[in-house]
Amino acid sequence: MKDLQALREQLSRLDVELLEMVARRQAIVAEIGRVKSSAGRGTRDYAREKEVLELARRTARRVGLDEDVGEEMFRLLIRASLAAQELDKVTSQGVGSGKRALVIGGSGQMGQWFVRFLDAQGYSVEICDPQPARSTHVRFPSLAESPLTHDLIVVAAPIHQTVDVLEQLAERQPSGTVFDISSLKGPLAGALQKLRAAGCHVTSIHPMFGPDTELLSGRNVVFVDLGDPQATAVVQELFASTMVEQVNMSLDGHDRAMAYVLGLSHAVNIAFFNALSQSGEQVEALATLSSSTFDAQMDVASRVAEENPYLYFEIQSLNAHSPRALVTLLNAVTQVAGRVLDGDEQGFVDLMAQGKAFLARRPEDRP
Ligand SMILES: C=C(O[C@@H]1C=C(C(=O)O)C=C[C@H]1O)C(=O)O
């Protein structure tokens, strides 16, 4: 019998070969990306992905592997191919080549995301932020010290600071296209209007994804046009080579939706982890008894707990539609508790049936 050491060395050689093969796969994927791009075809091809996954399952079965392992491996590989093809396309289209961009709040998390994104587009990117940036971009520590001669100005600051920044921009009247990325638009309405009135080109977007996002397939960016379609078109063009879904909304429609999409889901999770922490139960003991629902809920709640609490407070407190969403939540919790405490089985079953019917209307096929 071979010794453990020898077997592990054999395995490591195989692991290296596996990764070399993945790299060869990626090289072919890159070529496919260029062929699709020059033929004007989209990056993502769901029918082809289905074939690839079916082949993975069939092959896994044939060689005595778990089919799910085969499929999971290829889901990961497809994600990697899509991310690489997307970045390649963004880079090769180079809509920012020869142009300059300023990212206000460029040292923050979403600010850094925009710095990388605009870099990939070929923009020459500068940052305005009092905090040092991780990158080597030219940085101005304050807006007063920043020249505003850029083609594009991104405002990626906390919501209350965004208002200030927009007002300062309205005074200095930059000629480039200005856009903010705030999670709420109502609090900015007045400042955005001032910028418009000052004759600036301005639009507003809300990227519905976090700063760790590499692949934009299946993600949304909400565009709120403020009456300057040319400014909106400039920013839409930035995302044209990605797989992001572009959604148009009005300023108020955006905030109303966010009271539920962000506000309600954050509030439910904050209430969930606080109910648990105030229950007197030990989290270690609960975790060993975990059920699939509890585990899934704990995962979401844990992610929420890691987020920036100041931003989360802004998202609740600065949205004019929050009170309605929060009262709806209180009523819903009271209804569940009421029907349980009253022993109202039919009422409880009805609540679940209503929810099921509502959720069934959700479009499927989220990647
Ligand atoms: C490689 C391609 O691009 C994407 C990636 C795929 C893959 O990694 O197998 C499959 C389909 C596409 O969504 C392709 O179109 O073939």
Side-chain angles (χ1 to χ4, degrees):
M1 201 162 63
K2 289 189 195 167
D3 67 11
L4 184 62
Q5 177 70 10
L7 284 166
R8 284 188 173 159
E9 279 167 16
Q10 199 183 340
L11 194 60
S12 291
R13 279 196 295 279
L14 200 66
D15 289 346
V16 170
E17 272 179 50
L18 264 173
L19 284 169
E20 283 167 356
M21 278 196 270
V22 171
R24 273 165 51 203
R25 187 181 199 280
Q26 287 285 72
I28 299 174
V29 160
E31 257 187 87
I32 292 178
R34 287 191 281 274
V35 170
K36 286 191 294 195
S37 196
S38 60
R41 289 175 62 149
T43 302
R44 192 148 197 186
D45 184 336
Y46 289 97
R48 172 63 189 158
E49 285 178 26
K50 189 158 174 270
E51 281 173 16
V52 172
L53 295 175
E54 280 167 2
L55 177 66
R57 290 189 79 88
R58 268 204 313 281
T59 310
R61 196 178 330 132
R62 181 170 58 76
V63 300
L65 273 177
D66 186 330
E67 290 176 35
D68 290 343
V69 171
E71 176 170 338
E72 274 310 303
M73 273 181 64
F74 276 82
R75 280 196 185 279
L76 191 65
L77 291 176
I78 291 172
R79 266 192 82 74
S81 347
L82 289 170
Q85 283 180 348
E86 183 171 64
L87 182 60
D88 226 24
K89 197 165 169 180
V90 166
T91 310
S92 69
Q93 304 223 329
V95 298
S97 149
K99 296 190 193 146
R100 296 170 60 233
L102 178 70
V103 181
I104 301 173
S107 304
Q109 294 212 49
M110 279 310 283
Q112 287 177 46
W113 189 92
F114 270 91
V115 169
R116 289 194 299 276
F117 184 58
L118 294 172
D119 253 342
Q121 308 251 358
Y123 275 93
S124 159
V125 183
E126 295 176 345
I127 292 172
C128 166
D129 201 306
Q131 300 297 323
R134 274 211 227 122
S135 52
T136 54
H137 297 85
V138 171
R139 178 177 67 90
F140 307 100
S142 71
L143 196 52
E145 291 162 89
S146 307
L148 297 177
T149 47
H150 305 76
D151 301 277
L152 200 62
I153 299 177
V154 187
V155 189
I159 301 170
H160 65 277
Q161 284 177 17
T162 297
V163 176
D164 270 4
V165 168
L166 294 173
E167 291 194 343
Q168 288 181 55
L169 291 178
E171 275 167 30
R172 290 178 57 191
Q173 304 174 0
S175 60
T177 302
V178 179
F179 69 96
D180 76 279
I181 62 158
S182 285
S183 308
L184 292 177
K185 302 305 181 191
L188 314 182
L192 289 167
Q193 232 23 70
K194 272 192 204 161
L195 256 175
R196 284 267 298 135
C200 297
H201 296 294
V202 58
T203 189
S204 189
I205 72 165
H206 183 187
M208 300 296 297
F209 51 80
D212 298 332
T213 307
E214 277 179 37
L215 174 61
L216 292 182
S217 178
R219 311 284 180 178
N220 297 291
V221 173
V222 179
F223 287 82
V224 178
D225 180 73
L226 303 164
D228 185 343
Q230 241 174 311
T232 305
V234 166
V235 185
Q236 282 171 334
E237 174 70 12
L238 286 180
F239 287 92
S241 52
T242 72
M243 285 171 268
V244 96
E245 194 69 41
Q246 303 197 357
V247 184
N248 295 304
M249 291 183 108
S250 68
L251 195 135
D252 191 56
H254 169 271
D255 282 14
R256 203 173 61 234
M258 289 312 135
Y260 296 91
V261 173
L262 301 178
L264 180 72
S265 56
H266 297 174
V268 164
N269 281 286
I270 296 167
F272 174 76
F273 59 63
N274 281 307
L276 277 180
S277 82
Q278 289 157 22
S279 68
E281 300 293 331
Q282 295 304 314
V283 71
E284 300 86 345
L286 294 177
T288 58
L289 299 175
S290 62
S291 70
S292 49
T293 305
F294 183 72
D295 283 351
Q297 184 61 55
M298 284 290 264
D299 284 346
V300 183
S302 304
R303 285 204 295 277
V304 170
E306 288 301 316
E307 294 294 338
N308 179 344
Y310 299 98
L311 171 66
Y312 272 37
F313 185 66
E314 282 191 325
I315 289 174
Q316 296 289 344
S317 62
L318 299 181
N319 190 341
H321 298 278
S322 279
R324 193 181 157 83
L326 292 172
V327 168
T328 310
L329 172 61
L330 281 174
N331 283 340
V333 173
T334 309
Q335 257 181 347
V336 177
R339 292 184 190 185
V340 173
L341 299 177
D342 290 347
D344 178 4
E345 182 183 60
Q346 192 51 49
F348 186 89
V349 169
D350 290 345
L351 278 185
M352 287 196 59
Q354 264 172 38
K356 188 172 172 183
F358 175 79
L359 294 171
R361 305 208 312 260
R362 189 166 82 133
E364 264 188 57
D365 209 14
R366 305 296 301 164

